[in-house]
């Protein structure tokens, strides 16, 4: 059994953008929004490499990252502890992610801007569901 | 100094998050429920939910390094990097700022065409109080809008 439970999968459909934090070797943190944290298998996720940004640079010198993802079904949020493993520029994960990024881009007016260069594969070290973070839906509607 | 345009941008409605790191260079993330640029226009005070604040404050007291991402629904985004100044519990004025921000953000999401059953729980459904007001001095500002200029230092 892997780290990621099945119930986390809706949070990785790219419906609600994720946040990812990393840190450079000189100790400067970086945080950014990301279209999608892509489910690879129960122990791995992929993050999109679209531009050569600070996240990409940071994890190649200090492989640790954290991601915050939200399920569009339950609105539960999850904290993922990640460790960068390798990058893929072809193959089934890249192709599936590329298609997904294009779909997200077309739905958000970013066609031609979102373009996948690589799928960065991370090992998931932990996945914690934030059970106390939500205000119940019934309370919001009051 | 933070430009007038960016002061307006930070005051929202926008989505925000901060990143810090510990002594082992392991990053930590938390969402932010509102922020204000202070009158000096060199410091930002952001509101972090109490249940996520302990680790953040520990990191900040240890090394002071902080990054805050600020993004709008139009995808325009910036990142503010700097050094920790102080923290305190939020007061009534802070709570009012948070509530105004949440209301404006929900209205904007609906205006953008997001379905209410997504927008309401996303904007209103996370515990934002009790919260801690964290102030940091901005040292660098980066453009983060998706595109080839993403990551460019602008101040």
């Amino acid at each position: 059994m892997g780290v990621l439970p099945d119930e986390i999968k809706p949070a990785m459909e790219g419906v609600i953008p994720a946040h990812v934090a990393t840190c450079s070797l000189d100790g400067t943190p970086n945080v950014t929004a990301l279209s999608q944290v892509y489910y690879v298998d129960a122990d791995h996720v992929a993050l999109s490499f679209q531009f050569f940004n600070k996240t990409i640079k940071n994890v190649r010198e200090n492989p640790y990252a954290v991601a915050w993802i939200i399920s569009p079904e339950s609105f539960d949020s999850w904290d993922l502890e990640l460790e960068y493993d390798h990058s893929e520029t072809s193959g089934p994960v890249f192709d599936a992610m590329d298609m997904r990024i294009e779909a997200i881009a077309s739905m958000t007016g970013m066609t031609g801007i979102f373009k996948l260069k690589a799928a960065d594969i991370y090992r998931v070290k932990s996945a914690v569901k934030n059970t106390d973070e939500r205000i119940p839906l019934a309370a919001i509607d009051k | 100094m933070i430009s007038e345009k960016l002061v307006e941008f930070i005051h929202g409605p926008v989505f925000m998050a901060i990143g810090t790191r510990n002594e082992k260079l392991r990053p930590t993330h938390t969402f932010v429920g509102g922020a204000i640029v202070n009158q000096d226009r060199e410091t930002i005070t952001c509101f972090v939910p109490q249940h996520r604040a302990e680790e953040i404050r520990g990191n900040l007291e240890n090394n002071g390094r902080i990054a805050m991402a600020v993004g709008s629904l139009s995808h325009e985004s910036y990142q503010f990097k700097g050094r920790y100044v102080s923290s305190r519990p939020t007061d009534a004025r802070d709570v009012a700022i948070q509530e105004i921000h949440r209301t404006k953000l929900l209205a904007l999401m609906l205006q953008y065409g997001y379905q209410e059953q997504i927008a309401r729980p996303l904007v209103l459904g996370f515990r934002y109080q009790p919260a801690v007001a964290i102030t940091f001095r901005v040292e660098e500002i980066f453009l983060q809008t998706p595109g080839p200029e993403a990551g460019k230092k602008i101040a």
Side-chain angles (χ1 to χ4, degrees), chain B residues 24-25 41 54 57 65 89 92 95 107 109 121 132 136 138:
Chain B
K24 293 179 180 173
L25 303 185
R41 284 180 44 183
E54 190 177 337
R57 276 207 296 196
R65 310 294 289 269
V95 176
M109 283 195 78
V132 174
F136 68 99
V138 176

Side-chain angles (χ1 to χ4, degrees), chain A residues 27-28 30-31 133-135, chain B residues 21 51-52 65 79 125 127:
Chain A
T28 306
N30 192 82
V31 61
E133 194 148 66
R134 298 286 312 149
I135 298 171
Chain B
R21 55 90 172 172
H51 65 275
R52 284 182 173 266
R65 310 294 289 269
Q79 186 166 193
R127 293 192 191 283

Side-chain angles (χ1 to χ4, degrees), chain B residues 82-147:
Chain B
R83 299 267 177 181
Y84 174 64
V85 174
S86 63
S87 65
R88 58 171 173 76
T90 50
D91 58 24
R93 176 175 172 268
D94 301 327
V95 176
I97 291 168
Q98 287 186 288
E99 289 176 352
I100 290 166
H101 183 260
R102 284 155 52 88
T103 303
K104 283 165 63 179
L105 187 54
L106 176 60
L108 186 67
M109 283 195 78
L110 296 174
Q111 188 183 319
Y112 261 74
Y114 283 85
Q115 293 177 336
E116 190 155 0
Q117 58 265 40
I118 293 275
R120 285 180 68 83
L122 191 59
V123 175
L124 306 180
F126 288 90
R127 293 192 191 283
Y128 66 102
Q129 278 288 327
V132 174
I134 291 175
T135 299
F136 68 99
R137 182 170 303 282
V138 176
E139 295 177 339
E140 296 176 296
I141 306 173
F142 297 88
L143 182 67
Q144 217 168 32
T145 307

Side-chain angles (χ1 to χ4, degrees), chain B residues 31-103:
Chain B
F31 67 92
V32 170
I36 53 163
V37 178
N38 295 304
Q39 283 192 338
D40 58 20
R41 284 180 44 183
E42 292 179 351
T43 58
I44 294 173
T45 298
C46 59
F47 309 121
V48 174
Q50 176 81 54
H51 65 275
R52 284 182 173 266
E54 190 177 337
E55 187 178 13
I56 296 287
R57 276 207 296 196
N59 288 347
L60 291 173
E61 281 161 13
N62 171 269
N63 61 70
R65 310 294 289 269
I66 182 168
M68 185 171 86
V70 183
S72 73
L73 290 174
S74 69
H75 295 285
E76 183 178 358
S77 310
Y78 301 92
Q79 186 166 193
F80 301 81
K81 295 193 178 185
R83 299 267 177 181
Y84 174 64
V85 174
S86 63
S87 65
R88 58 171 173 76
T90 50
D91 58 24
R93 176 175 172 268
D94 301 327
V95 176
I97 291 168
Q98 287 186 288
E99 289 176 352
I100 290 166
H101 183 260
R102 284 155 52 88
T103 303

Side-chain angles (χ1 to χ4, degrees), chain A residues 4-73:
Chain A
L4 298 174
D6 281 346
E7 68 166 316
I8 205 170
K9 289 180 180 176
M12 298 187 178
E13 292 290 326
V15 177
I16 298 174
H19 276 120
V20 175
T22 58
C23 181
S24 66
L25 215 47
D26 75 358
T28 306
N30 192 82
V31 61
T32 186
L34 197 68
S35 313
Q36 185 178 14
V37 173
Y38 183 86
Y39 182 93
V40 175
D41 60 38
D43 291 303
H44 296 88
V45 296
L47 306 189
S48 62
F49 174 179
Q50 298 174 61
F51 313 103
F52 190 77
N53 60 25
K54 199 69 179 169
T55 299
I56 303 300
K57 180 177 182 293
N58 283 354
V59 297
R60 281 156 176 75
E61 61 186 38
N62 176 28
Y64 303 103
V66 291
W68 188 59
I69 59 175
I70 301 169
S71 167
E73 293 178 359

Side-chain angles (χ1 to χ4, degrees), chain A residues 84-100:
Chain A
Y84 172 69
D85 191 90
H86 68 281
S87 192
E88 295 181 3
T89 54
S90 64
V93 171
F94 178 88
D95 291 344
M97 218 171 161
D98 189 36
M99 186 189 67
R100 192 79 194 175

